[in-house]
Amino acid sequence: MHPLDRMNMSEQDLINQEVHNAYEAIKNGGIVLYPTDTVWGIGCDATNPEAIKKIYELKQREESKSMIVLMNSDRMMYQVFNNIPETAWQILDLAEKPTTLILDNPRNVAPNLIAPDKTLGVRLVKEPFCFKLMERMKKPLVSTSANISGMPTPTRFKEIDHHILDGVDYIVNLHHEKIAAIPSSIIKLGNDMTVKVIR
C-alpha cells in the first residue's frame, strides 16, 4: 500500500489491515513482530510447534525456557486449562497493570511451549490489535520479548535488533513511536492453591 493511502485510513481501518496482514503470515506458519499491551513481542500460532521453534532459533533461546501466550477471552483460557483456580480470576479482576499468570497442566497448545514443570504463562489482553488478531486466529498467540536471549528488552520499536527485524515474516505497522510500558507482573498459581509472585 502507498504510504499516502495509509495516512487517509482511520485508525480502525489501519488496525484491521494490520490484523489481516499478520493473520496471513501466521496462518502460513510465519512469525510476526507486533506491539502488545506491554513491550514489542515476537509471536505465532500457539498450536504450531514449527513456528514456535523458529522463534526459539531467532531469539537463540533454549526450548526449556518457555514463552507465554496471549488470550482474548475466558473461553480461550478454558480451551487451554481444564482447571483454573478461582484465585486466578480474582487476581485478573483486581490487577491494575498487565498480569501474566503461570498455570498448571495446559492442553491444546504446542508441546514446545509448555515448561518442563507442565506449566504455561498466559495473559488476557484487551489491546485492540492483539484482541482482534486472536479473534481472527481463534487460537492463542505466542508472545515473547523482541530481543536476542540475554540482551535487554527493547522499550520501543527503534531499539529492536536488526537480527530480529530481518528474522520475522511480518512486522506490524502500528505504534512504532510508542514507548512501552513496563513488562507485566508474573504470578505463578498452582492447582494446589499455592501462589508465588515471580515479577
Side-chain angles (χ1 to χ4, degrees), residues 106-190:
R107 58 200 175 131
N108 300 328
V109 292
N112 55 346
L113 262 187
I114 300 170
D117 65 354
K118 302 280 187 290
T119 59
L120 179 66
V122 294
R123 192 161 77 246
L124 271 176
V125 294
K126 298 289 180 229
E127 192 280 325
F129 170 78
C130 294
F131 187 91
K132 282 174 172 281
L133 178 58
M134 286 183 279
E135 219 171 37
R136 187 84 182 268
M137 291 166 63
K138 299 184 172 51
K139 292 174 185 174
L141 176 66
V142 170
S143 182
T144 182
S145 54
N147 59 328
I148 306 292
S149 204
M151 300 298 283
T153 299
T155 57
R156 61 178 89 189
F157 182 77
K158 68 179 184 187
E159 293 171 6
I160 298 170
D161 189 284
H162 71 89
H163 173 79
I164 299 286
L165 297 173
D166 294 343
V168 297
D169 297 294
Y170 185 70
I171 297 171
V172 172
N173 196 8
L174 294 169
H175 309 309
H176 284 205
E177 299 309 315
K178 189 171 130 189
I179 297 174
I182 51 175
S184 66
S185 304
I186 300 178
I187 300 172
K188 187 169 187 174
L189 297 179

Side-chain angles (χ1 to χ4, degrees), residues 13-148:
D13 289 341
L14 184 54
I15 289 171
N16 289 341
Q17 181 64 50
E18 290 302 316
V19 164
H20 172 78
N21 295 349
Y23 174 70
E24 288 301 312
I26 288 170
K27 186 178 72 172
N28 293 315
I31 62 177
V32 300
L33 181 64
Y34 67 102
T36 73
D37 53 337
T38 57
V39 295
W40 273 80
I42 308 169
C44 67
D45 172 355
T47 66
N48 183 332
E50 289 304 314
I52 291 160
K53 188 165 181 257
K54 281 195 227 173
I55 295 179
Y56 282 119
E57 287 169 356
L58 179 61
K59 281 181 65 89
Q60 299 165 24
R61 182 174 180 153
E62 300 160 41
E63 288 206 9
S64 60
K65 293 195 172 176
S66 55
M67 300 184 284
I68 73 160
V69 297
L70 303 182
M71 300 185 185
N72 69 355
S73 65
D74 298 0
R75 187 172 158 208
M76 198 177 271
M77 291 271 286
Y78 279 113
Q79 284 172 354
V80 176
F81 298 98
N82 217 358
N83 292 316
I84 300 175
E86 189 53 40
T87 325
W89 301 117
Q90 291 166 356
I91 289 168
L92 292 174
D93 284 345
L94 296 171
E96 291 179 359
K97 67 173 193 167
T99 299
T100 298
L101 298 179
I102 298 175
L103 301 174
D104 288 337
N105 302 320
R107 58 200 175 131
N108 300 328
V109 292
N112 55 346
L113 262 187
I114 300 170
D117 65 354
K118 302 280 187 290
T119 59
L120 179 66
V122 294
R123 192 161 77 246
L124 271 176
V125 294
K126 298 289 180 229
E127 192 280 325
F129 170 78
C130 294
F131 187 91
K132 282 174 172 281
L133 178 58
M134 286 183 279
E135 219 171 37
R136 187 84 182 268
M137 291 166 63
K138 299 184 172 51
K139 292 174 185 174
L141 176 66
V142 170
S143 182
T144 182
S145 54
N147 59 328
I148 306 292

